[in-house]
Amino acid sequence: MGCDGNNQLFPLAFALTDGENVDSWGWFLACIRNRVTQRRGLCVISDHHPGIMTAFADVYLGWSEPNAYHRICMRHLASNFMTHFKDKCLKQLLCKAALETKVEKFNMHMETIERINQDALSWLEAIPFEKWALSHDGGRRYGIMTTNMSEVFNSVLKGARSFPITAFVQLTFYRVNSYFAVRREHGASRLASGEQDTPYVDAKINANVVKTSSHEVVLYDHFQGLFHVKASRGSKKTSFGGRTYCVNLREYGCTCGKTRIYGFPCSHILAACHFRSIDFRSFVQHYYTIQSYFSTWAPLFNPIHNEYEWPPYVGPVIVPTDSMKRVSGG
């Protein structure tokens, strides 16, 4: 599964295999590189399954850096962590550290883990921080921390696993086609209406615009686009507001880290842009534009020829007794 510029699920590839193992994962990932995309710099989020890890370590499959960047699902990481340490407090600290966008806050949570359990810290430090911590990610995963999107799509194929193989493939084909058709139409209507960015990123930017009203902006260098932006303290007791952030418009950066992580401007960059009457659109990655959204869903599915019945009849499947073990075992 992938994710489009409107934060919607994008079905990328399906496969039927005899099981989830090293061979099947290696074959599947090789097929994606050969048949689906040769694009460099892809970010793949997964659990720690040995088959996936082996495939990413194989330089001949095309998934090693810089061809691709592997990231670990936070939910699976926390589950593995609990298997070793069985401490809910430590698990919560792990999740907080993983979700932090600022390195200093990440370090704060890691220090707390160290004070509670040195072995827990050592276990986490054995895994490269960029694999699981948002603050060290480098903007590869766009803030997506889990593999939930691939599991959520199972609802689209609900009940299909009980079908015979042919019906299973047909159902997948038709439901994915319907999925594309609806979103293609949405993209076309939004293009026609003159919208620039997807509703998802528009809502995020509008929320950040509201925050800018309480920011104080100080210009340091007009030519470099260097500013200090002071954010007022939030209403929550746990808020870290009141801090000053350095904004560099020329480098598209802010010390809060959010613009690089998510691909659209944080409230501090928006405040600096407003201060100098600069269009903030250049800070929005092209993936979030309506044109990119439409292009994502533009590919067409061709009807299957010589189909006499759809939906296919799915009745009792009679399997000869001597074949039953092979079917149930497969």
Side-chain angles (χ1 to χ4, degrees):
M1 301 305 302
C3 188
D4 71 6
N6 199 33
N7 202 36
Q8 296 175 144
L9 302 178
F10 180 85
L12 184 67
F14 299 88
L16 289 168
T17 68
D18 60 349
E20 192 175 5
N21 50 52
V22 172
D23 289 340
S24 63
W25 268 115
W27 170 81
F28 181 56
L29 289 171
C31 285
I32 291 179
R33 273 309 193 200
N34 293 331
R35 304 284 181 166
V36 181
T37 178
Q38 291 78 45
R39 185 172 179 174
R40 290 166 59 89
L42 292 174
C43 176
V44 180
I45 305 171
S46 76
D47 58 21
H48 242 140
H49 191 281
I52 299 175
M53 304 308 291
T54 300
F56 270 84
D58 188 342
V59 295
Y60 296 104
L61 292 182
W63 292 100
S64 56
E65 295 185 14
N67 293 316
Y69 296 84
H70 184 232
R71 299 292 185 257
I72 298 172
C73 169
M74 183 187 72
R75 184 170 58 84
H76 286 92
L77 178 67
S79 178
N80 293 339
F81 183 84
M82 280 293 288
T83 301
H84 286 83
F85 300 103
K86 298 177 174 61
D87 188 320
K88 290 185 178 179
C89 178
L90 285 174
K91 177 185 174 181
Q92 290 176 349
L93 287 169
L94 160 61
C95 292
K96 287 181 179 179
L99 292 169
E100 289 293 355
T101 58
K102 303 179 185 65
V103 174
E104 59 184 27
K105 292 184 181 180
F106 169 83
N107 292 337
M108 179 184 69
H109 293 306
M110 295 293 281
E111 289 167 3
T112 304
I113 292 174
E114 180 181 22
R115 288 195 296 269
I116 297 174
N117 190 324
Q118 177 64 51
D119 291 338
L121 178 70
S122 299
W123 189 89
L124 288 173
E125 288 181 335
I127 307 171
F129 292 159
E130 66 270 15
K131 294 277 189 181
W132 59 274
L134 197 56
S135 57
H136 292 72
D137 170 55
R140 301 287 179 185
R141 62 197 302 162
Y142 290 86
I144 301 172
M145 295 301 293
T146 69
T147 56
N148 286 354
M149 59 182 180
S150 62
E151 295 166 12
V152 165
F153 198 78
N154 286 334
S155 63
V156 176
L157 305 174
K158 189 176 181 180
R161 292 170 186 251
S162 61
F163 287 5
I165 294 298
T166 302
F168 184 22
V169 172
Q170 283 182 314
L171 181 66
T172 303
F173 176 85
Y174 278 96
R175 288 192 176 173
V176 171
N177 171 63
S178 175
Y179 200 76
F180 266 72
V182 170
R183 281 151 184 77
R184 189 185 307 114
E185 185 177 349
H186 288 169
S189 63
R190 285 166 180 158
L191 271 180
S193 66
E195 296 179 43
Q196 289 185 285
D197 299 321
T198 62
Y200 167 76
V201 81
D202 267 344
K204 293 291 186 180
I205 291 175
N206 289 338
N208 285 340
V209 168
V210 172
K211 296 178 183 178
T212 63
S213 61
S214 60
H215 292 353
E216 298 177 13
V217 182
V218 178
L219 173 64
Y220 276 72
D221 189 329
H222 167 68
F223 298 102
Q224 294 294 328
L226 188 63
F227 301 82
H228 267 183
V229 178
K230 184 177 181 181
S232 62
R233 185 171 182 82
S235 58
K236 296 181 180 180
K237 292 182 179 179
T238 56
S239 173
F240 286 88
R243 295 191 174 185
T244 300
Y245 300 91
C246 181
V247 171
N248 190 321
L249 296 183
R250 177 168 289 187
E251 296 181 359
Y252 295 84
C254 175
T255 51
C256 77
K258 293 181 179 179
T259 299
R260 185 182 185 191
I261 290 172
Y262 298 116
F264 54 82
C266 61
S267 61
H268 316 118
I269 283 183
L270 288 173
C273 287
H274 178 72
F275 184 84
R276 295 297 298 177
S277 299
I278 297 172
D279 186 2
F280 66 84
R281 297 287 173 184
S282 60
F283 296 90
V284 180
Q285 289 200 12
H286 70 90
Y287 302 111
Y288 294 117
T289 64
I290 292 297
Q291 182 60 60
S292 290
Y293 176 81
F294 176 74
S295 298
T296 298
W297 301 102
L300 300 173
F301 288 72
N302 294 315
I304 299 175
H305 298 293
N306 300 322
E307 279 197 302
Y308 297 103
E309 181 181 353
W310 178 257
Y313 170 70
V314 182
V317 179
I318 300 174
V319 181
T321 305
D322 61 349
S323 300
M324 189 65 74
K325 289 184 179 179
R326 292 198 297 273
V327 173
S328 62

